[in-house]
Amino acid sequence: MISAPTPPAEGDQIDTTDLPAHVAIIMDGNGRWAKARGLPREVGHERGVEALRKTVRAAQDLGLSHLTVFSFSTENWRRPVKEVNALFGLLRLYVKQDLKRLISEGVRIRVLGTRVGLPTDILALVEEAEVKTAANDTFNLCIAFNYGGREEIVRAAQTIAADVAAGKLEAGAISEDCFSTYLDTGNLPDPDLLIRTSGELRLSNFLIWQAAYAELVFQDVLWPDFGAKHLREAVAQFQNRERRFGGLATGVA
Ligand code: FPP
């Protein structure tokens, strides 16, 4: 008996000439992953860093150029001190352990979010990572850490107001494009694909200006279990969407 050929998995049908310019990920579900195994939440975050490493590799292999991940939100300060400290510790470890390799791979690192409230050693590490990778352009990794979309917008508005008061900017010259350059994402392309893991269906204050026209993909996988397969599936879903940006579908008069 001849069996029917297995259809290729959705993630295998990727058009590498039509990749999203910028993929953003809300890495959700570390706590639930740990709880399901009777482990402390911090272990879930540790496994989350492993998933992040795999995902950066997969994004590079796929030919993506910009990846932004949500690592610590301005609202995450409400968590127990032990968990907040664990997340700070993981950022320290990630930069210390991976920076050399990321530099050699041509990765440019940017850390998005407010620096207010961050410990001085983290500020120094963030600065080191940004400065040492500033000339790289093969792949852009943005780590949103101590990040909140509304806080970012308010901070941009304050800088704009200061520039107008100082005579550096005309109030009438504040366009959407101009405003965007004042955000932490500066001149980066807007994310056109935003993925959230763990089945939750929210943006949670992540890139709320930049994601205005992003295609949203929600996946039923807890972040520590995320890998190349899930990234490819999300990109395949993105490529199957019709993007109209408020216009009409192709062929509709
Ligand atoms: C959300 O899961 C995840 C976070 C708040 C932190 C994400 C952080 C990492 C993946 C690792 C840190 C990486 C670096 C580079 C610092 P959750 O804890 O809310 O999970 P839950 O909804 O299941 O409780």
Side-chain angles (χ1 to χ4, degrees), residues 33-34 44 51 54 62 79 107 117 136 149 153 162 173 181 186 207 218 223 236:
W33 184 94
K54 276 192 255 166
L62 195 52
R79 295 192 179 199
V107 176
N136 290 352
I153 291 169
T181 64
L207 300 176
F218 298 101
W223 176 253

Side-chain angles (χ1 to χ4, degrees), residues 147-185:
Y147 176 88
R150 288 183 175 180
E151 189 280 334
E152 180 193 31
I153 291 169
V154 168
R155 202 157 27 85
Q158 288 171 345
T159 312
I160 288 172
D163 281 356
V164 171
K168 291 189 212 159
L169 180 67
E170 288 277 332
I174 306 169
S175 60
E176 290 183 15
D177 284 346
C178 165
F179 197 96
S180 293
T181 64
Y182 279 81
L183 295 170
D184 297 345
T185 38

Side-chain angles (χ1 to χ4, degrees), residues 27-32 41 45 49 52 71 76 79 91 223:
M27 310 183 287
D28 196 10
N30 295 345
R32 275 162 283 168
R41 295 177 56 81
H45 296 314
V49 177
L52 173 61
S71 299
N76 287 152
R79 295 192 179 199
L91 180 66
W223 176 253

Side-chain angles (χ1 to χ4, degrees), residues 93-232:
L93 264 186
Y94 183 67
V95 174
K96 285 181 185 165
Q97 294 180 341
D98 292 41
L99 184 58
K100 218 169 148 187
R101 180 179 48 77
L102 292 169
I103 291 170
S104 72
E105 290 173 1
V107 176
R108 177 163 184 184
I109 298 174
R110 290 181 184 83
V111 177
L112 316 180
T114 172
R115 306 282 153 109
V116 175
L118 292 181
T120 45
D121 73 304
I122 292 223
L123 291 175
L125 274 176
V126 164
E127 169 91 3
E128 182 190 350
E130 290 187 332
V131 169
K132 285 191 173 164
T133 63
N136 290 352
D137 60 2
T138 309
F139 186 82
N140 292 275
L141 173 63
C142 297
I143 301 173
F145 196 92
N146 204 20
Y147 176 88
R150 288 183 175 180
E151 189 280 334
E152 180 193 31
I153 291 169
V154 168
R155 202 157 27 85
Q158 288 171 345
T159 312
I160 288 172
D163 281 356
V164 171
K168 291 189 212 159
L169 180 67
E170 288 277 332
I174 306 169
S175 60
E176 290 183 15
D177 284 346
C178 165
F179 197 96
S180 293
T181 64
Y182 279 81
L183 295 170
D184 297 345
T185 38
N187 294 313
L188 298 175
D190 282 341
D192 34 21
L193 167 60
L194 191 150
I195 301 168
R196 182 171 190 148
T197 60
S198 91
E200 303 286 348
L201 309 177
R202 289 185 293 280
L203 283 185
S204 297
N205 204 13
F206 185 45
L207 300 176
I208 49 176
W209 169 285
Q210 298 89 335
Y213 282 100
E215 293 297 327
L216 308 181
V217 170
F218 298 101
Q219 291 176 309
D220 268 326
V221 56
L222 300 176
W223 176 253
D225 293 326
F226 190 91
K229 167 174 134 355
H230 304 95
L231 181 68
R232 294 178 65 88

